[in-house]
Amino acid sequence: MPVIDVVLPCLDEAEALPWVLARMPDGFRALVVDNASTDDSARVAADLGARVVPAPVRGFGAACHAGLLAATAEVVCVMDADASLDPADLPRLVAALADLGAGGAPALVLGRRRPVGRGAWPPHARLGNAVLARSLNRRAGTRLRDLGPMRAARRADLLALRLADRRFGYPLEMVLRAARAGWRVAELDVPYRPRTGTSKVTGTVGGTVRAVRDMRRVLAEAAS
């Protein structure tokens, strides 16, 4: 089985990393992208055998892009490092990608979050996601219900999109550009659990507002 790189944007996730890395399936190689963490995230990741990729400039998109550049596998997955998503679900996304992208067609598979456990997906975060998904669908002709943070695609195809956002707009820009380039885009249900540690985005109203603002900016730029 070919090795598949898993990009894990990481900002102060030392508490969650042991569970995440222990759940990494065979054939999947973890690239923990340390986005200027102030805890022991980089050391914990290295001690557990993950490759640590430095991304000193803060920003979710900056971390994702640093991981994509560091990856060498043909297929790359991206997922949060906070234990809200289970790496054991990645093989299903990769299998779906192989079917969707048969014959070399560019494709993107997203994990549609299905909350498991109290507090896994706060109402304010779910509402913001739904509004953005509807806006994306209108502009790109997609039928997505979630801008899921777990996703799989071919590395060369992702690089060809030339994604420019380096903040929270990165995931939306990826889907928007992929859809407009004629990619096949699909989503698959994945369990979504309460994260480990302190949330920096969906767990707080302020974090959600910042993420929504960045994504709305990406949509506005695409419409101009």
Side-chain angles (χ1 to χ4, degrees):
M1 178 180 175
V3 171
I4 292 162
D5 282 328
V6 182
V7 175
L8 296 157
C10 174
L11 175 58
D12 297 335
E13 302 293 2
E15 187 180 353
L17 282 172
W19 185 88
V20 173
L21 296 176
R23 301 281 296 172
M24 199 64 60
D26 291 341
F28 288 72
R29 179 172 53 197
L31 276 63
V32 175
V33 185
D34 182 28
N35 199 202
S37 295
T38 57
D39 65 1
D40 288 335
S41 292
R43 181 189 59 78
V44 169
D47 288 349
L48 292 171
R51 179 183 172 189
V52 177
V53 178
V57 178
R58 286 273 179 93
F60 182 78
C64 288
H65 194 66
L68 183 60
L69 292 177
T72 56
E74 178 183 357
V75 173
V76 174
C77 297
V78 180
M79 62 172 285
D80 289 345
D82 59 9
S84 61
L85 296 164
D86 190 343
D89 290 313
L90 290 173
R92 292 196 297 118
L93 267 70
V94 171
L97 176 69
D99 292 339
L100 199 64
L108 174 65
V109 178
L110 295 86
R112 180 195 178 200
R113 290 169 286 185
R114 306 295 286 179
V116 176
R118 186 176 180 180
W121 201 358
H124 62 268
R126 198 178 309 193
L127 175 61
N129 178 79
V131 170
L132 288 167
R134 283 197 295 269
S135 297
L136 171 67
N137 290 336
R138 285 197 302 269
R139 286 169 170 79
T142 50
R143 295 184 177 181
L144 299 174
R145 291 164 291 181
D146 184 18
L147 301 175
M150 177 182 277
R151 44 190 64 188
R154 295 187 184 95
R155 178 177 181 269
D157 292 337
L158 288 175
L159 289 172
L161 289 178
R162 298 186 180 277
L163 301 177
D165 192 89
R166 294 295 180 263
R167 295 171 56 173
F168 291 123
Y170 186 92
L172 186 144
E173 185 189 16
M174 181 188 294
V175 180
L176 181 62
R177 290 202 180 198
R180 289 189 167 178
W183 287 31
R184 298 170 181 172
V185 181
E187 57 185 357
L188 237 135
D189 286 356
V190 295
Y192 190 56
R193 300 168 176 78
R195 62 156 292 144
T196 297
T198 303
S199 176
K200 294 170 283 293
V201 186
T202 57
T204 67
V205 174
T208 298
V209 169
R210 287 192 296 273
V212 170
R213 183 181 59 209
D214 285 349
M215 291 186 184
R216 289 180 68 87
R217 174 177 45 78
V218 169
L219 288 171
E221 290 171 355
S224 61

